[in-house]
Amino acid sequence: MSKSTKLRVLGFIGAIGASAVLVGAATNGTGAYFTESHSGAINASTGGVHVATTNLSLDFAQLLPGEFQSRQIGYTSTGSGLQDIWLVLPTDGTADSLNGIPGTPSGTAALGRYGHFAVTGPDGSFTSYNLATAGTGTHSGPTCSTDSYGRGGSEAQAATRTDYSTPFCPVPNAILLSYGIASGASANATITFGFTKLIHAAGQEDSPLAPLAQFKIVATQHGINPSDPNN
């Protein structure tokens, strides 16, 4: 074999060896692949559920039997998203005039058939002429219907003091006023109260203005009830 031929053979063998080394390097993960990266970040913040209100001190003065007065309350949704607005009564017994059980120690203030209460909002309403919760014995009877939003009630009124056919219709602890109100939107709700014609009796005239019940205007996330345990 000539010298030049030997050199060509050796060069070919060397090239094969070099290729094997490159293939092995790539297989072992030590090759020089092309790559590029860009950094990112995960950020988070919380929104808010807020409501601004007006006219929350409701005075019903110089009421006469069978004559009812109405007052308006105003509210503006100031949260970061859709909200529901509710009228909420306390559940600690201080609203017994509007939903107590007559004949029981905690319900001695219950107005029952002697009071009328109504709420009218853009997306919910309730009315009743028998504000007591049904109890037992002489204080038992049919109950009016309300839904999970506190909407409903009864328009039935007792004709006389001996008329006990009026359904028991206590004011719900939470009544929906606005459903899915947008941030920045404002609305009004009307609250009506008075004593029915059954209340007339000696010693009940000219009574001073006195607390009847407390309430709150509550904003919740859209679709969430105020009684939700996660609130």
Side-chain angles (χ1 to χ4, degrees), residues 4 101 144 227:
S4 60
I101 302 174
C144 70
S227 63

Side-chain angles (χ1 to χ4, degrees), residues 77-94:
S77 175
T78 57
S80 57
L82 293 179
Q83 300 184 159
D84 298 338
I85 309 297
W86 305 74
L87 183 144
V88 178
L89 297 178
T91 57
D92 59 3
T94 57

Side-chain angles (χ1 to χ4, degrees), residues 62-209:
Q62 297 182 333
L63 292 165
L64 298 175
E67 296 183 5
F68 312 121
Q69 298 178 8
S70 295
R71 301 286 183 266
Q72 270 200 339
I73 59 175
Y75 50 89
T76 300
S77 175
T78 57
S80 57
L82 293 179
Q83 300 184 159
D84 298 338
I85 309 297
W86 305 74
L87 183 144
V88 178
L89 297 178
T91 57
D92 59 3
T94 57
D96 276 353
S97 293
L98 303 180
N99 55 23
I101 302 174
T104 65
S106 64
T108 54
L111 285 172
R113 299 175 305 141
Y114 296 98
H116 167 56
F117 184 85
V119 178
T120 302
D123 294 305
S125 63
F126 170 85
T127 188
S128 171
Y129 292 86
N130 183 358
L131 305 178
T133 298
T136 60
T138 58
H139 299 298
S140 63
T143 300
C144 70
S145 175
T146 57
D147 65 15
S148 59
Y149 297 102
R151 300 175 297 193
S154 173
E155 293 282 356
Q157 302 183 48
T160 65
R161 291 191 179 187
T162 57
D163 178 5
Y164 295 101
S165 63
T166 308
F168 287 90
C169 198
V171 181
N173 293 119
I175 302 173
L176 179 70
L177 301 179
S178 287
Y179 187 73
I181 186 172
S183 180
S186 298
N188 296 301
T190 301
I191 311 298
T192 300
F193 176 77
F195 299 108
T196 67
K197 59 188 177 182
L198 306 185
I199 200 171
H200 58 84
Q204 294 178 326
E205 297 181 58
D206 300 316
S207 63
L209 198 65

